[in-house]
Amino acid sequence: MSGPTRTRRRLMASTGATLLTGVAGCLGDDPEEDVTFDHPDDVRADEPFELTIDGLPEETPVEVAMESDSGIDATVTVETDSDGRIDLADQSVVDGDVPTDLDIPTTVALIQFASESFWQYQPPEEERVTYSVRTDDEEYGSTELRRSHLDRSTYDDPAHSELVGGVFTPPIDDEGPGILVLHGSEGEPLFEHAATLAHRGFTTFALHYFDGPGLPDDLVEIPLEYVETAAQWLLEHERVSSDRVGVIGMSKGGELGLLAGSRSDEIGPVVSIVGSGLVWEGINDTGVEPPETSSWSIDGEPVPYVPYDRGPFEDDVSMREFYTQSLEAARADTIDEATIPVEEIDGDVLLVSAGNDELWPTERLHNVTADRLEERPQSTVEHLRYGDAGHGIFPPYSPVMGTNRARFGGSRAGNARAAHDHWPAVLETLATLD
């Protein structure tokens, strides 16, 4: 099942992009032959935008090429309308690097389907993007706009003896709601998420909770008190205006966010991206024996968890199958005890699931949370499901090449759709702090 249908136009309106008009690529001596470009001068990196081109031949296939000074490029073929116009965001793609059935504004889909890996894409703070239009016989001109990024490598260390991570503040000198950003089992802070949200006006703390300086080596019995300390510290930050903090977590960070939100008065809304409504056994890196204890602890005691099944497996079993078999092997009372009491979360809950997640059965694990909240409707829950997406659902709009690597699952198109569609809901959920 895919996520809710949202038109490109609606998503344009939700971002508040303001259109400005410019002229570029003048042709010939007749002013009436000038090609004009209409678009914003500046946009945030996670913001879709419109771009219209007028003065082209009528009902003619033309190639639109995107090239950025960060080194990415992509092209599409679209057909002009009867007035010689292209509304690139809405225009149907005939051919090129962007799939023809992708319901994403082509202006940003060109960036998503650029010839660069997601893992290598390192844009500057001000990324200059050029859009050129041509046919085999004619160059019709080009235009340039700026996409602004908050530098994910420039952050403040928390002024706290126990806490590790990076703090990002809004680019304007103002306060904003506080957001804790929780990474997954890879053990790397989510600086991209934190920087993108800070650019939207939030003060964010990408918390590092294991495999860092002074932290536990493995994801085993991580104290919930550590997350609560981080939430309390963030609330006292001079650039935080909210009386509670929001949490966004990815994968195991989503599991942690739901659990922390269920027991902390300092936490309000929670966003879980490809996370879990069940607590699982911990993860170590010894390569010998599983830890046989919980991922998390409270007051020094392991939180009840679903254990990994030690039964026989095929040699080529996937991680998803491993987790699914562990679920099937667990006793009903074990599942019940490991279920996170999400009804105790004092805020809205957003769940983002991937139907083709090869790391674990995200939709099934999130359904535990959705069902529990629907039975106990103290909080509002929204569950977005993306059937052809995998574990690699990241903020838009970056190249998606590599986000569907084998152990993550999904397709480039599925991950691009999920990145585009889920982000407005993330912003809306966290904005309830205001």
Side-chain angles (χ1 to χ4, degrees), residues 89 160 166 230 276 291 316 328 334 412 422:
H160 193 284
S276 171
D316 59 350
E328 300 297 337
T334 298
R412 290 176 65 189
H422 90 289

Side-chain angles (χ1 to χ4, degrees), residues 259 262 276-280 303-306 332-343 365 367-369 372 376:
L259 181 62
S262 72
S276 171
L278 297 172
V279 170
W280 283 90
V303 176
Y305 64 95
V306 180
D333 59 341
T334 298
I335 296 288
D336 186 60
E337 291 175 1
T339 300
I340 299 171
V342 288
E343 69 276 6
L365 298 178
N367 279 339
V368 173
T369 291
R372 190 174 180 107
R376 305 168 176 82

Side-chain angles (χ1 to χ4, degrees), residues 20-39 51-58 60 62-64 78 80-81 83-88 131-135 138-144:
L20 303 176
T21 303
V23 180
C26 296
L27 305 175
D29 298 325
D30 185 353
E32 292 183 359
E33 295 180 2
D34 289 352
V35 173
T36 61
F37 296 81
D38 187 11
H39 59 81
L51 190 160
T52 56
I53 309 172
D54 288 287
L56 296 168
E58 301 171 1
T60 302
V62 298
E63 183 181 83
V64 179
V78 297
T80 63
D81 65 16
D83 294 323
R85 183 175 221 243
I86 292 173
D87 182 349
L88 187 59
Y131 292 85
S132 305
V133 58
R134 57 181 176 251
T135 63
E138 191 76 65
E139 296 280 346
Y140 288 103
S142 63
T143 191
E144 181 183 277

Side-chain angles (χ1 to χ4, degrees), residues 220-366:
V220 176
E221 292 192 18
I222 303 300
L224 263 292
E225 292 84 357
Y226 179 75
V227 180
E228 293 171 352
T229 298
Q232 293 163 358
W233 178 86
L234 186 57
L235 278 176
E236 296 172 1
H237 194 283
E238 62 182 4
R239 298 287 297 277
V240 170
S241 59
S242 51
D243 58 2
R244 292 172 300 154
V245 300
V247 174
I248 179 171
M250 188 167 183
S251 191
K252 286 293 287 188
E255 176 187 322
L256 175 57
L258 292 169
L259 181 62
S262 72
R263 58 167 275 123
S264 175
D265 294 335
E266 285 79 20
I267 294 175
V270 176
V271 176
S272 175
I273 300 174
V274 293
S276 171
L278 297 172
V279 170
W280 283 90
E281 182 172 337
I283 300 172
N284 60 20
D285 199 29
T286 64
V288 181
E289 291 292 337
E292 298 188 7
T293 189
S294 182
S295 298
W296 325 109
S297 69
I298 298 175
D299 296 329
E301 295 296 325
V303 176
Y305 64 95
V306 180
Y308 301 136
D309 181 42
R310 271 70 177 175
F313 285 95
E314 300 294 333
D315 290 340
D316 59 350
V317 67
S318 69
M319 288 300 298
R320 179 192 180 102
E321 292 169 318
F322 173 72
Y323 275 99
T324 299
Q325 184 165 322
S326 296
L327 274 176
E328 300 297 337
R331 295 173 17 172
D333 59 341
T334 298
I335 296 288
D336 186 60
E337 291 175 1
T339 300
I340 299 171
V342 288
E343 69 276 6
E344 301 297 331
I345 296 174
D346 188 16
D348 293 350
V349 175
L350 174 66
L351 310 170
V352 180
S353 294
N356 201 8
D357 190 333
E358 285 300 318
L359 271 185
W360 59 5
T362 315
E363 187 170 347
R364 180 174 177 178
L365 298 178
H366 270 162

